[in-house]
Amino acid sequence: MELYLAFAITTATFALIPGPAMLYAAARTLAGGRRAGLLASLGLHLGGYVHVIAAAAGLALLFHAVPPLFTAMKLAGAAYLVWLGLSLFRDRDNTKRPELAPLSAERAFAQSIVVEVLNPKTAIFFLAFLPQFVDASASLPVWAQLFLLGTIVNLTFSAVDIVCVFFASAVMSKLQRSQRSQRVMQRIGGSILVGLGARLAFQDR
């Protein structure tokens, strides 16, 4: 029980620390509205399960054993984030065509899955964090414990991301009367995505 209590407290602490996922969800909300933000959060959540399964299966060890693989995946994820951010600057007619909002939200969902899958830091986090709370003497197999703990972490982080989406949506709703304000919000969202991509590209492990 003490082990699981420590896990719960540590997970909540990590979840509440502002990080790239929060900023990404907020950026998607500012750029495309609440629905886009919520679907982006769902995409991040589903993409997170790829890393949970990888950690449970031991595949994430490859990132430690083969450093070039980590670097290649990190740069691919960074380039994708920058491309997404720049695309928001190019999409000048977005605020003039509200009928395209559902398509934008669906696209945000698909893109968010790719963003999370291409984030090697998530794999490293699960690999480094989860084993600390595994009980080898428990009746549940180690891989099952890793999967269960990873699922709880993923759900907790996603819950905080959704709170950020609603907060960003509340800010955006006050500015929707002005088309210029909507355009500014879209550019802010694009800038955040470009910044996240640059941060991922130049940050060490």
Side-chain angles (χ1 to χ4, degrees):
M1 182 59 69
E2 292 179 358
L3 185 65
Y4 294 135
L5 180 60
F7 168 76
I9 294 174
T10 308
T11 298
T13 301
F14 272 118
L16 293 174
I17 296 175
M22 289 186 188
L23 291 175
Y24 180 85
R28 276 302 187 183
T29 305
L30 294 175
R34 181 187 297 178
R35 185 167 184 268
L38 290 174
L39 285 178
S41 296
L42 178 60
L44 292 176
H45 181 74
L46 294 179
Y49 283 116
V50 173
H51 298 293
V52 172
I53 294 173
L59 298 179
L61 287 170
L62 286 174
F63 289 113
H64 284 298
V66 188
L69 178 61
F70 175 91
T71 301
M73 196 166 183
K74 181 182 73 170
L75 293 177
Y80 190 65
L81 278 172
V82 171
W83 178 79
L84 291 179
L86 293 177
S87 68
L88 293 179
F89 284 93
R90 293 195 304 269
D91 192 10
R92 298 183 180 277
D93 296 328
N94 186 59
T95 58
K96 298 179 182 179
R97 295 179 295 172
E99 69 275 4
L100 293 184
L103 176 60
S104 177
E106 298 295 336
R107 189 169 55 189
F109 169 71
Q111 291 173 344
S112 299
I113 295 177
V114 177
V115 165
E116 186 64 9
V117 170
L118 288 178
N119 186 1
K121 289 185 177 295
T122 303
I124 296 298
F125 171 78
F126 279 120
L127 182 64
F129 179 69
L130 297 181
Q132 302 178 51
F133 304 98
V134 170
D135 183 1
S137 63
S139 58
L140 203 63
V142 170
W143 69 266
Q145 293 183 57
L146 288 171
F147 181 79
L148 180 59
L149 293 173
T151 298
I152 294 173
V153 170
N154 203 23
L155 287 169
T156 304
F157 278 46
S158 294
V160 176
D161 291 343
I162 290 174
V163 171
C164 291
V165 168
F166 279 98
F167 178 78
S169 178
V171 173
M172 189 177 178
S173 64
K174 296 181 179 181
L175 301 173
Q176 281 185 337
R177 296 178 182 179
S178 170
Q179 190 175 80
R180 181 180 178 183
S181 296
Q182 292 181 48
R183 182 59 189 160
V184 169
M185 289 298 100
Q186 187 175 354
R187 288 183 175 180
I188 290 175
S191 299
I192 292 174
L193 294 181
V194 172
L196 289 174
R199 178 179 181 273
L200 178 60
F202 293 106
Q203 193 177 47
D204 294 332
R205 289 193 178 202

